[in-house]
Amino acid sequence: MSRAVFPGSFDPVTFGHIDLIKRAASVFDELIVGILVNSQKKGLFTTEEREMLISEVTKNIGNVKVTSFDGLLVDFVKLNEADVIIRGVRSSLDFEYELPLAQGNRKLYEKADTMFLLTAPEYSFISSSAVKELIGYNADISDYVPIEVINLLKTKGDYDYAGRKI
Ligand code: PNS
């Protein structure tokens, strides 16, 4: 059985992430989405909320599991007996960032190979950081994130249908 992990912060999950999850899940028998727990950084959503959001938006993909991890990614890979780490690449800038991470992971654990999926062009401008910035400027984020993210945002404060602060 082939198993891949797709690690990330997912704060929040975007349409770009969801596209990558679908595509990776169609290649491997099992895809484990691993949300990095970062206690140093206060995010938009808690780890539990991110986990709930990703579980909700991937509930129709049978071979996707969602969980969180802290510590080294390679330890998460070992724990789950995964064959491969999946990362998305939007641009050459992403690749510059990803290359030392992938090489570092392999140095830590030889079996931790990274496979890159190229982000679909329609999602290549989307990032969680951009979403958070847009929220800060009261801009529309409905082209970036699923409705579940916007609905949860609404419970945290005053946001309109497009995830804008009102
Ligand atoms: O969504 P992100 O923030 O780009 O994801 C980054 C992530 C979680 C993949 C990366 O920060 C990570 O793997 N962190 C775990 C710590 C680790 O293993 N670091 C060593 C890398 S060589």
Side-chain angles (χ1 to χ4, degrees), residues 33-106:
V33 178
I35 304 163
L36 178 71
V37 179
N38 188 346
S39 48
Q40 315 282 4
K41 216 165 120 187
K42 194 187 171 313
L44 178 63
F45 293 118
T46 65
T47 307
E48 293 71 28
E49 287 169 335
R50 296 177 211 182
E51 199 169 327
M52 185 273 289
L53 284 169
I54 302 174
S55 302
E56 182 62 25
V57 299
T58 60
K59 66 180 179 210
N60 293 328
I61 317 172
N63 59 338
V64 172
K65 282 193 181 150
V66 187
T67 185
S68 58
F69 73 100
D70 55 14
L72 286 175
L73 174 56
V74 290
D75 290 336
F76 182 67
V77 170
K78 282 181 201 166
L79 184 74
N80 287 284
E81 297 177 354
D83 309 291
V84 155
I85 298 164
I86 298 290
R87 293 287 287 168
V89 172
R90 287 166 297 197
S91 65
S92 54
L93 270 182
D94 272 357
F95 186 72
E96 294 294 326
Y97 171 78
E98 294 294 336
L99 185 64
L101 277 185
Q103 289 173 332
N105 282 325
R106 260 208 94 220

